[in-house]
Each structure stands twice: as structure tokens, then as C-alpha cells.
Amino acid sequence: MPQNLTSQMLDAVRAADGRVMDRPAYHADAAALRADPDMVGDVWKLERSQVFYEEGDPAWQAFLANDWKRVLEIFESERPALHEGIATYTRQGLRLRRLRVVENPLTPYLRWEMQSHRVFVECGYEIGVLEAEAVRQHEHRSPLPELMVYGRRVIYHVRYDDRWAPAGAKRIDDPVLANWAADFVSGLYARSQPFLDFFHREVGTAAPASAGGD
């Protein structure tokens, strides 16, 4: 996608009218969208921020307590649910792909998150990693937005509070804009590297610095 069109698309996503939902409403709305038999095809997820605050997440609480062994145990325990999740996507005719943009050096948060992503990939999910230098040209005014794009029909512009704790999403029902966004994210994904290649080279399972050190 030409740079000028990309800038227009990103500005349009940020400015678009849409239904703003809190986190429970967003999750319920996305689940209903996935269950819609007319919603099939690709689902793209773009993750850009290097730090989130995962309030209430047991693995995050273990990380805050510097209990790395417990972090890994919790992520490992999620395998049955992850297998069921990927089977559900497949049954619904959807293919989820996630693009994780990373800065170097990796933040402690990212080193924590990538332990979860490793288990996701081992359970069948598709995740690509793209270094931030590859997206700088699109970030003259602000970082890339956090997005979910469903079937080239619906965009969720995911929202966070000042701590980067999840705060819901704005749903944008605009097929033209969703098509632009899907093309953009898929183009970045095509330039990414497989998650496990990046993980084994750059991350590993050793405990990172504490969460307070990022």
C-alpha cells in the first residue's frame, strides 16, 4: 500500500465514528461476530505497544511477584483452552493471524508476553514478529494503532487507559476501511519472521528483569 494511502487509512481509523465499548462489551461483541455464519475469512491482529498492564491476569500477577516458575506453569496450563480456541476459529471458517511489532531491547513485558505467545504458537496459532524499524515510516505522528480486523468487514480499534490496561474497543463497520486495514496488516505480516524463530534466537525461557524495571 503506498505511503500516502497508508497514512490516510490510519488517520481514518483513528477518526472514524464507531460504537465504543468497554472491555466486557467488546469481548461479547467480538464473540458474537465470530459466531456469525456470514463472518468467514481472515482475522488480523496488530500489536504495537511494548508495555501493557494485564490487570487481574494470574500470570501477570505472578510476574509482578517475581515468580517466574509460576508464570511458565500458568501459561503451560492454558494449552487445552488454546487448542479448543483454534479449533473454534477453524470450525467458524476463520483464520487468525497476529503481528507482533517489537522494539529492541525487548521490554520485560514483552519477554513475559512472548512466553504466552510461544505456547499459543505451539498450539497452532499463527504469529509473526516484525522489528519496529520496519514500521517507522508509518509513525511520523503517532505509533500504529492496536487493531483487530475481521473478514475485511469490521475493525476493532482496541483501546487502553493511561497505564495501557485494556479498556475495550471502538467497533468500525466500514468494509472499505476494513479492506484497507487488512491489506496493510497482511502486508506487514508478509515481511515478518516466524514467531518461534525469533523466540529461540532472542528470548528463551530465562526469567527477564522484573516488571518494575521496564
Side-chain angles (χ1 to χ4, degrees), residues 40-74:
V40 295
D42 292 326
V43 179
W44 294 101
K45 182 172 186 177
L46 174 61
E47 299 171 301
R48 176 61 179 95
S49 180
Q50 305 300 288
V51 178
F52 295 114
Y53 188 77
E54 303 285 355
E55 188 170 20
D57 184 291
W60 179 246
Q61 296 304 315
F63 185 38
L64 294 178
N66 295 318
D67 189 347
W68 190 242
K69 180 174 181 289
R70 180 60 180 153
V71 168
L72 297 181
E73 288 173 348
I74 291 170

Side-chain angles (χ1 to χ4, degrees), residues 7 18 33 61 82 87 111 128 169 175 184-185 197 204 211:
S7 297
L33 184 64
Q61 296 304 315
L82 294 176
R111 290 185 175 276
F184 174 63
V185 181
D197 290 353

Side-chain angles (χ1 to χ4, degrees), residues 3-185:
Q3 177 60 35
N4 62 331
L5 289 180
T6 297
S7 297
Q8 290 176 35
M9 181 274 294
L10 295 173
D11 289 344
V13 167
R14 295 183 181 102
D17 292 330
R19 181 153 55 95
V20 177
M21 297 169 280
D22 62 16
R23 193 181 187 192
Y26 161 47
H27 287 172
D29 193 78
L33 184 64
R34 290 192 296 271
D36 182 344
D38 293 330
M39 176 54 67
V40 295
D42 292 326
V43 179
W44 294 101
K45 182 172 186 177
L46 174 61
E47 299 171 301
R48 176 61 179 95
S49 180
Q50 305 300 288
V51 178
F52 295 114
Y53 188 77
E54 303 285 355
E55 188 170 20
D57 184 291
W60 179 246
Q61 296 304 315
F63 185 38
L64 294 178
N66 295 318
D67 189 347
W68 190 242
K69 180 174 181 289
R70 180 60 180 153
V71 168
L72 297 181
E73 288 173 348
I74 291 170
F75 287 148
E76 287 293 330
S77 74
E78 294 172 348
R79 287 182 185 272
L82 294 176
H83 283 298
E84 176 57 31
I86 198 69
T88 299
Y89 269 97
T90 300
R91 187 166 59 249
Q92 293 170 332
L94 298 169
R95 181 183 181 187
L96 171 64
R97 279 171 285 182
R98 300 169 67 164
L99 179 68
R100 196 355 137 180
V101 177
V102 300
E103 301 268 5
N104 284 305
L106 298 178
T107 62
Y109 172 87
L110 269 186
R111 290 185 175 276
W112 171 86
E113 180 193 77
M114 287 192 170
Q115 304 303 324
S116 173
H117 282 6
R118 171 183 59 83
V119 177
F120 269 76
V121 170
E122 290 172 353
C123 291
Y125 287 79
E126 299 176 76
I127 303 177
V129 178
L130 189 65
E131 296 194 15
E133 288 305 314
V135 303
R136 298 280 188 220
Q137 62 183 313
H138 307 303
E139 298 187 319
H140 296 303
R141 289 192 292 274
S142 58
L144 295 181
E146 307 280 324
L147 300 177
M148 293 284 296
V149 186
Y150 280 82
R152 297 181 174 269
R153 287 171 44 193
V154 176
I155 301 172
Y156 291 103
H157 182 186
V158 186
R159 301 167 56 244
Y160 297 86
D161 65 18
D162 292 341
R163 301 173 301 163
W164 280 92
K170 176 177 68 173
R171 174 172 169 159
I172 306 166
D173 289 86
D174 183 333
V176 173
L177 190 53
N179 196 61
W180 275 15
D183 282 345
F184 174 63
V185 181

